Amino acid sequence: TERAQTETFLEATVRRKEQNFERMIRATRAAIDDGQRLIVFGAPFLVKDFCDRILAGGKPMILPAGSVVGYGGGWKTFDGEALSERALLDLIERAVGVKKQFVIEAYSMTEIGAILMKCEHGRFHVPPQLETIILDDALAPVDGDDVTGILGVMDPFAVSYPGFLITSDNVHRVRSLCPCGLAGETMLSVSRAQGAEVKGCGGIVATLDA
């Protein structure tokens, strides 16, 4: 039943949070001992929590050379704990020794089959298979090479749902050559639209009553 599924989800994600972090840290230490390169990925608040727990142990846990830390999804209902990008990058380097050039930030959602990667100049690059449409508050398209509004996405590879969706995010989209050297559409900023309900894995977990 739906109630049973909710209980299973709560048990795995909320009630076992401490055990899950302990298991993750043990596994990370074992991988370090074996010299394995690691990829650590999660929502920003989870990456912060992971790093805080490591430093609370009294010393950093330096990952092997070539390891990568990635995050995406925003802070959603964790606004009160939010760090600036610079502060989060500094925390990651202090906790696990991964420098900013090996920290990846991405923007995506379960409804599209692509990931928008953030380059070193702070722009999220729209992959060529996606087409973005910027909408005003009345959901009318806004044309231009430098526009701000609600993000709409057309995904030609969608097969189990309509290939066009309107997100709950406000974005600043430009069409110009990025300083990193890539051409095409990029997003200079992404923020939650005012009044939008909490969605996304991180946001949903944050609002659940354990």
Side-chain angles (χ1 to χ4, degrees):
T1 66
E2 183 175 339
R3 179 63 184 177
Q5 292 173 342
T6 301
E7 286 296 317
T8 300
F9 178 75
L10 279 171
E11 189 66 28
T13 59
V14 178
R15 297 176 187 140
R16 295 182 184 176
K17 178 181 178 181
E18 298 300 323
Q19 298 95 310
N20 288 337
F21 268 113
E22 290 174 4
R23 177 169 51 84
M24 182 179 177
I25 291 175
R26 286 198 306 270
T28 301
R29 293 192 188 282
I32 291 173
D33 291 341
D34 289 341
Q36 298 180 24
R37 292 176 295 174
L38 298 172
I39 297 177
V40 178
F41 181 84
F45 69 90
L46 289 175
V47 173
K48 174 183 178 295
D49 204 352
F50 177 65
C51 292
D52 284 341
R53 289 167 186 268
I54 290 172
L55 294 177
K59 62 179 182 179
M61 190 166 66
I62 305 301
L63 303 184
S67 296
V68 172
V69 175
Y71 62 87
W75 295 88
K76 294 190 172 70
T77 57
F78 288 82
D79 287 341
E81 302 176 28
L83 298 179
S84 68
E85 181 179 13
R86 178 176 295 182
L88 182 58
L89 291 174
D90 178 67
L91 176 63
I92 291 170
E93 184 171 354
R94 286 189 291 111
V96 297
V98 175
K99 297 185 180 299
K100 65 179 182 180
Q101 58 264 41
F102 297 107
V103 177
I104 299 170
E105 183 178 358
Y107 171 80
S108 188
M109 59 201 73
T110 57
E111 294 87 355
I112 62 174
I115 296 175
L116 285 64
M117 304 299 295
K118 190 175 186 179
C119 73
E120 64 269 26
H121 294 279
R123 297 189 181 197
F124 291 102
H125 285 261
V126 180
Q129 73 268 31
L130 296 183
E131 181 177 349
T132 63
I133 299 174
I134 305 303
L135 309 166
D136 62 20
D137 290 340
L139 301 184
V142 180
D143 196 19
D145 294 332
D146 187 340
V147 293
T148 300
I150 299 171
L151 175 64
V153 179
M154 295 185 68
D155 182 359
F157 293 99
V159 294
S160 61
Y161 54 89
F164 175 72
L165 64 96
I166 299 174
T167 73
S168 298
D169 293 330
N170 279 321
V171 303
H172 179 187
R173 188 202 67 192
V174 297
R175 293 173 176 150
S176 63
L177 181 66
C178 179
C180 76
L182 292 178
E185 295 183 345
T186 60
M187 295 195 297
L188 303 186
S189 65
V190 179
S191 61
R192 203 67 173 163
Q194 186 174 4
E197 64 179 300
V198 174
K199 290 186 177 180
C201 301
I204 295 300
V205 170
T207 59
L208 287 173
D209 182 5

